Amino acid sequence: KAGVVTVRLTGLPDATVGLSVFQDQNGNGKLDRNAMGMPVEPYAFSRQAQGNFGPPSFEQAALPAGTARHPIQLPAQN
């Protein structure tokens, strides 16, 4: 449906994993940042984890082995 992207990941190790996603709005293949190093494109982490002054820790974003489905929501805009 509109505004939803489904990604199927296969071949992941049978271990705890963490995911990060971003919307490449200008199609340059990278997460763009401003002069202060802050992302200027929407991004999010598994478990909607958020860090303080940087990305969240792996433990904050960790998904247990065998997690079958996990929604991650990007902010509407940043």
Side-chain angles (χ1 to χ4, degrees), residues 12-13 15 29 32 35-36 43 54 71:
L12 294 175
D32 292 321
M36 299 292 289
Y43 67 95

Side-chain angles (χ1 to χ4, degrees), residues 15-20 44-50 55-67 69-72:
T16 302
V17 297
L19 302 173
S20 64
F45 298 91
S46 46
R47 296 182 55 197
Q48 295 304 130
Q50 296 182 1
S57 69
F58 178 77
E59 289 75 21
Q60 290 173 296
L63 298 172
T67 299
R69 289 179 170 250
H70 183 74
I72 300 175

Side-chain angles (χ1 to χ4, degrees), residues 5-34:
V5 174
T6 300
V7 177
R8 181 178 300 246
L9 304 175
T10 60
L12 294 175
D14 188 22
T16 302
V17 297
L19 302 173
S20 64
V21 297
F22 72 94
Q23 182 181 5
D24 186 10
Q25 293 177 323
N26 61 5
N28 68 352
K30 64 180 184 176
L31 177 61
D32 292 321
R33 300 172 185 272
N34 65 19

